Amino acid sequence: MENILQPEIINQENLFYKIDPKGFIEPLFDNPFYHLPIAKTIFAREKNIFSLFSLPEASTVNEALRKFRGPIYLKSTFSAEILHHLGYYTNIPYLLLHTYNMEDGTLLGKVSLGKYLPNINFTNNNIILYADTKDRLRGFNNKLLRGLSKREADTIRNSVGSSLHDFMDPTPLSMQETYFRKIDAVADKEWNTTYISEEKFEIKNMSDAFTFMKIPVSVDTEASDVRLSVSCSIINGDGPILSIAPNELISSNSDNHTYQAGKSFKEESFTIKHNGNFLKVTQGSLPVGKITLTLSIADKFISLSMNNKIAARYYDPDIERNCDNGLQIMTRPGTNIIVDKIEVQIRPVLKMADDDKGGSLVKLNHLPGRVFLLNRFHNIAFTSTFKDVLGFALTDVSEIEQRAILYRNRYRQEKKKREELKTMLTSPTQIGSPFIGSSKETISIREKINLVSASPAPILLEGATGTGKDVIARIIHEESGRDGLFVKIDCSALPSELIESELFGHERGAFTGATERKIGRFEQAQNGTIFIDEISNIPRNVQAKLLNVLQDMTIYRLGGTTPIPLNARLVTASNVPLKSLITQGLFREDLLFRINVITIQLPSLKDRVEDIPELCTHFLKQLNHSLGRSIKGLTAEAYQKLISYSWPGNIRELRNIIQKAMLFTSGDMITEESIQLEEGENIPASLRRTKRENYHLNTMSRNNWMELLKKHNGLVSKVAEELGATRKTCYRNFKKHNIIPEDLRKQGYL
């Protein structure tokens, strides 16, 4: 009795009443009870313990107390009245009654707050939620109802006791279960032992206070997960309590420890505590004989295991980690244990949770478009009173999340721009985007690409050299939605005898020099796109094999017998009309039917000269960066000069001309004089054409043609590219001069 009436107790948040045998109450002290003055008003109004508290019917209070052994809570109607006044809506009991016998036969009644409201009563603008271990809503504060109509608010109030799934996504329990599944998968991975002791010793606490045994190791939990295991035999008491705390708090008041776990005092349960407050309480008892207790902190997971089985665990969205922690074994008064082994293990922090913000993001169904950060209370001592209830604070982070999304999108856009720029600057095939320009030809190409990109049908690109076939093929792949690679093979750059191996691959020993297996371009393009450039250069025998591949969508490596199914989009390109090669017997008609399901004709630059200004602007941006220049544009006379040109080399030639002009420009504008249009630059001097004149190919002698063939190792496509002519024109002139490139190559003349 004397301890109950100490001044420091009276001045706390308690009300004291004298209770007569019939339950009538009389206040003993003028305690302000400043948090809840309305409670005093209700007690003065009701005047009787039986009407106020949940006691069984009886003729006297003592008789009722003998019948009822559990906690005595204020009736729900009065709790609701008090909590509503404070802005809370919950069905959790609120005020507790403790009774003490007095000398005159009456009782002393002490009314105290339930252990869940005092620490959060004056929380800022956070939404407060109470949830139980069955994911049911047990209460909330009025911040949850802000901005709602009366009808909507009433609906939320009436939902107390119902499933949290009705208005929250995800719920605390579902987040916890998802997290536990993740952490269970890596529970025993990557641990390294940093301390182990197998020296047997006794801990015998005969004092009236806790004893502390510090383990001689420090742990940086900001960088590491930690696991402390103690194997022991319990002679008497509740066994060891395992603790982790900053080194300056080790061996001090137990309530200052960051995390501790062990058996509850005088109860058949296990607890996990944080700074003296209960995080988790589960039913359980210590077995007789030897046991091993393990306290683990992994990412945002705290657990207590007994003999390698989970006794209690908690997902802490506000996990507390420090750079200098100590570990210790604590024992309560009367505890006697024999310690057999102590082991400390660490590993790098495994990031299993969905975020690094100290909590988890949730949405409330009645507040669409809003995002909240869910945190536990920093004080949740009410868990010791209501073991199935947890408290959470929700912070509105909608604006922050929207900014984060905006910044993430901007970052992705900037990253994409950087990658595009890097590709443009490093890839010689990137001659400019076909989307650049507003001519009707460009618009038509753009529309066709948009229509056919998602289709799996083969596409044939036809157009003169330098018109952008490579670029269009890449864009078709990027817009196709395929997650495989874009794989290119340029048949004009390969000797005919190597094309088959490049396309289909080969096994080791398939031919002389095949010392190891080679994966072909078709296999490399699985689930992606294969781009066969200058397909007209493929020999007839390889054309037949390619036809079979396209019919069956299966390949065999050279020298191999295992069929390899294919899933690759085919895009082909040619700088000469393939139909003209069919008439010459140089290309299979049935293969053309397979590859030209969709055909896109690319116009020459001379047919879209209105796009030249936009292309020049595009190239200036590219080249200013790579050349370290800051040229602003071209003069009107320079543009006129470019537009008047016939452009045999198309867009590629335009880019080269702009690059040369930039090198010879001293000011910030490219002038007419800086633009050098040397048509036929690589043709013998006697055959160069003047401005706006056609090549006079019919004046070239046999020696001129032989000179060009030798220069390009017999590759007709390269000869045609240099002359700005078609392969068909070249072959017509070869026939005129009785030149057969294939025969000359075999005879060693080329």
Side-chain angles (χ1 to χ4, degrees):
M1 175 66 72
E2 292 179 358
N3 290 334
I4 294 299
L5 299 181
Q6 291 296 316
E8 60 269 20
I9 300 296
I10 294 173
N11 291 333
Q12 289 183 0
E13 297 164 351
N14 300 306
L15 293 176
F16 291 90
Y17 291 90
K18 182 179 181 180
I19 307 173
D20 73 10
K22 295 297 184 181
F24 289 99
I25 59 176
E26 176 185 344
L28 287 179
F29 308 102
D30 189 20
N31 182 9
F33 209 57
Y34 56 89
H35 277 187
L36 300 175
I38 189 174
K40 295 175 67 175
T41 303
I42 293 174
F43 276 64
R45 183 184 69 205
E46 297 299 323
K47 300 180 180 179
N48 193 287
I49 289 298
F50 283 105
S51 63
L52 286 165
F53 288 87
S54 299
L55 282 170
E57 292 184 5
S59 58
T60 66
V61 174
N62 281 326
E63 183 182 344
L65 293 175
R66 285 193 293 271
K67 292 181 179 179
F68 186 75
R69 293 292 183 180
I72 305 171
Y73 293 114
L74 188 68
K75 289 182 178 179
S76 59
T77 53
F78 302 124
S79 288
E81 183 179 349
I82 296 172
L83 292 171
H84 178 70
H85 181 77
L86 292 172
Y88 286 85
Y89 303 87
T90 178
N91 59 9
I92 303 173
Y94 178 49
L95 294 182
L96 283 160
L97 173 66
H98 307 271
T99 60
Y100 306 89
N101 292 319
M102 298 181 69
E103 294 178 355
D104 59 358
T106 61
L107 295 173
L108 171 66
K110 183 184 75 169
V111 179
S112 61
L113 297 171
K115 292 185 178 180
Y116 69 98
L117 195 58
N119 298 312
I120 58 170
N121 195 13
F122 294 100
T123 307
N124 56 21
N125 290 323
N126 289 345
I127 294 174
I128 303 300
L129 286 182
Y130 307 126
D132 63 20
T133 52
K134 295 183 179 180
D135 238 4
R136 292 177 301 193
L137 179 65
R138 296 295 300 273
F140 53 86
N141 65 351
N142 57 12
K143 303 297 190 300
L144 182 66
L145 308 178
R146 282 179 298 192
L148 301 183
S149 66
K150 183 179 183 303
R151 181 177 180 181
E152 291 171 329
D154 288 341
T155 300
I156 299 296
R157 291 189 192 98
N158 293 333
S159 65
V160 172
S162 62
S163 172
L164 277 172
H165 291 275
D166 295 338
F167 67 97
M168 174 184 281
D169 182 36
T171 67
L173 184 59
S174 62
M175 282 191 294
Q176 177 174 277
E177 290 176 345
T178 299
Y179 180 76
F180 284 165
R181 284 195 295 271
K182 291 180 180 179
I183 204 72
D184 286 345
V186 295
D188 296 318
K189 292 184 178 179
E190 301 181 24
W191 290 104
N192 297 305
T193 298
T194 60
Y195 174 83
I196 189 168
S197 171
E198 296 182 344
E199 179 181 351
K200 183 178 289 189
F201 61 93
E202 182 179 14
I203 299 178
K204 191 173 185 179
N205 185 358
M206 303 304 294
S207 68
D208 57 358
F210 278 90
T211 61
F212 309 92
M213 196 208 86
K214 187 178 186 303
I215 298 169
V217 64
S218 293
V219 179
D220 178 4
T221 56
E222 289 183 352
S224 304
D225 292 338
V226 61
R227 187 155 70 178
L228 167 62
S229 297
V230 176
S231 299
C232 64
S233 299
I234 301 175
I235 308 302
N236 190 43
D238 296 323
I241 299 171
L242 310 185
S243 169
I244 179 169
N247 269 313
E248 66 266 21
L249 299 178
I250 287 292
S251 301
S252 64
N253 187 330
S254 63
D255 278 352
N256 289 329
H257 297 162
T258 305
Y259 290 103
Q260 59 179 260
K263 183 183 177 297
S264 301
F265 180 56
K266 294 183 179 180
E267 292 186 19
E268 295 300 311
S269 61
F270 295 99
T271 63
I272 298 174
K273 297 174 73 175
H274 173 262
N275 289 342
N277 298 309
F278 289 87
L279 295 181
K280 188 69 175 178
V281 180
T282 59
Q283 296 299 313
S285 59
L286 294 174
V288 177
K290 292 185 177 181
I291 64 166
T292 298
L293 290 180
T294 302
L295 170 62
S296 297
I297 297 178
D299 190 30
K300 297 183 179 182
F301 172 79
I302 304 98
S303 69
L304 175 68
S305 299
M306 182 175 65
N307 297 336
N308 295 320
K309 293 184 178 180
I310 296 292
R313 63 181 178 176
Y314 183 75
Y315 165 55
D316 189 356
D318 297 300
I319 190 76
E320 183 176 345
R321 290 177 175 269
N322 302 289
C323 62
D324 184 25
N325 288 280
L327 305 171
Q328 67 181 356
I329 301 172
M330 304 162 47
T331 56
R332 294 189 180 94
T335 299
N336 186 9
I337 61 175
I338 305 295
V339 177
D340 299 311
K341 180 181 178 181
I342 300 173
E343 184 175 9
V344 178
Q345 296 175 302
I346 63 171
R347 67 181 178 188
V349 176
L350 297 181
K351 292 292 184 181
M352 303 299 299
D354 294 331
D355 66 277
D356 276 326
K357 306 180 184 69
S360 300
L361 295 180
V362 299
K363 295 181 179 179
L364 302 180
N365 297 341
H366 68 288
L367 296 174
R370 306 279 288 280
V371 181
F372 297 87
L373 188 65
L374 180 125
N375 300 87
R376 66 162 168 79
F377 294 142
H378 291 282
N379 265 319
I380 45 178
F382 66 89
T383 307
S384 63
T385 304
F386 307 104
K387 295 180 176 59
D388 64 336
V389 178
L390 293 175
F392 299 95
L394 299 180
T395 305
D396 192 339
V397 293
S398 303
E399 184 176 348
I400 298 173
E401 182 68 8
Q402 289 169 2
R403 284 186 202 158
I405 293 172
L406 177 63
Y407 292 146
R408 284 196 295 268
N409 290 339
R410 286 181 180 173
Y411 171 76
R412 292 190 187 105
Q413 291 170 2
E414 291 300 322
K415 184 178 180 182
K416 184 177 180 181
K417 288 179 181 178
R418 288 197 299 271
E419 292 299 325
E420 289 174 349
L421 180 60
K422 181 179 178 182
T423 302
M424 290 177 183
L425 296 176
T426 58
S427 176
T429 62
Q430 297 297 312
I431 60 173
S433 170
F435 291 106
I436 296 173
S438 53
S439 65
K440 64 179 182 180
E441 291 83 4
T442 304
I443 293 173
S444 175
I445 292 172
R446 183 186 301 124
E447 291 174 347
K448 184 167 284 190
I449 290 174
N450 291 338
L451 288 173
V452 305
S453 291
S455 167
I459 297 177
L460 171 63
L461 306 175
E462 286 191 339
T465 299
T467 51
K469 299 185 291 295
D470 188 312
V471 176
I472 292 180
R474 291 175 186 274
I475 292 174
I476 289 171
H477 168 69
E478 291 171 1
E479 296 187 1
S480 68
R482 290 179 170 266
D483 54 9
L485 298 175
F486 175 85
V487 178
K488 175 186 174 181
I489 178 171
D490 185 355
C491 298
S492 67
L494 291 172
S496 58
E497 59 270 17
L498 294 182
I499 290 178
E500 183 177 4
S501 174
E502 285 293 322
L503 283 173
F504 310 126
H506 62 252
E507 298 289 352
R508 181 180 179 182
F511 50 83
T512 302
T515 58
E516 59 183 20
R517 172 184 288 179
K518 177 182 177 63
I519 302 299
R521 303 295 177 92
F522 268 104
E523 279 189 81
Q524 295 173 27
Q526 282 284 29
N527 302 314
T529 301
I530 181 169
F531 175 46
I532 304 178
D533 197 10
E534 304 300 351
I535 192 173
S536 57
N537 284 29
I538 294 181
R540 292 273 300 188
N541 64 315
V542 181
Q543 290 179 28
K545 292 186 177 181
L546 178 59
L547 177 63
N548 291 332
V549 168
L550 298 180
Q551 287 174 338
D552 302 333
M553 289 308 291
T554 301
I555 64 167
Y556 293 85
R557 299 191 192 105
L558 295 184
T561 58
T562 303
I564 302 171
L566 292 179
N567 178 21
R569 171 74 171 277
L570 175 66
V571 180
T572 57
S574 175
N575 62 1
V576 295
L578 294 180
K579 289 183 179 180
S580 66
L581 298 183
I582 292 174
T583 60
Q584 300 176 44
L586 300 175
F587 201 82
R588 295 179 62 106
E589 185 176 25
D590 49 2
L591 179 58
L592 176 61
F593 293 152
R594 281 285 177 183
I595 65 175
N596 76 338
V597 176
I598 300 169
T599 301
I600 299 178
Q601 295 287 344
L602 276 71
S604 299
L605 184 56
K606 67 182 180 181
D607 297 324
R608 45 180 290 211
V609 292
E610 56 265 50
D611 292 338
I612 288 177
E614 293 176 69
L615 287 166
C616 288
T617 301
H618 171 68
F619 292 139
L620 282 177
K621 289 180 180 178
Q622 279 188 16
L623 296 169
N624 271 331
H625 187 277
S626 61
L627 300 177
R629 302 297 302 274
S630 56
I631 294 176
K632 296 179 180 179
L634 287 75
T635 64
E637 294 77 13
Y639 275 126
Q640 184 59 45
K641 187 173 183 178
L642 294 175
I643 291 172
S644 300
Y645 185 50
S646 58
W647 297 111
N650 294 295
I651 302 174
R652 182 179 289 119
E653 185 181 8
L654 173 62
R655 188 181 190 277
N656 292 339
I657 293 296
I658 294 298
Q659 185 172 7
K660 290 179 184 178
M662 292 177 69
L663 295 173
F664 288 100
T665 297
S666 57
D668 59 1
M669 296 292 289
I670 294 177
T671 63
E672 180 183 12
E673 291 73 22
S674 301
I675 296 177
Q676 304 173 20
L677 300 177
E678 298 183 65
E679 300 184 281
E681 180 178 344
N682 296 317
I683 302 175
S686 61
L687 299 175
R688 290 183 183 174
R689 62 174 175 172
T690 60
K691 190 189 311 181
R692 292 185 298 276
E693 290 181 341
N694 293 325
Y695 286 116
H696 299 290
L697 301 182
N698 58 342
T699 65
M700 291 177 63
S701 67
R702 188 176 193 278
N703 288 337
N704 295 143
W705 287 108
M706 290 292 290
E707 179 183 348
L708 287 172
L709 282 169
K710 288 180 180 179
K711 176 182 177 180
H712 293 292
N713 298 317
L715 295 175
V716 178
S717 60
K718 295 297 182 182
V719 174
E721 179 180 344
E722 179 171 321
L723 295 174
T726 64
R727 294 174 78 248
K728 181 179 179 181
T729 300
C730 291
Y731 275 107
R732 187 170 61 246
N733 280 276
F734 292 158
K735 185 176 182 180
K736 173 183 173 181
H737 295 290
N738 195 27
I739 298 173
I740 303 176
E742 290 78 11
D743 291 344
L744 292 174
R745 190 181 299 111
K746 291 177 181 178
Q747 295 169 18
Y749 288 101
L750 301 180

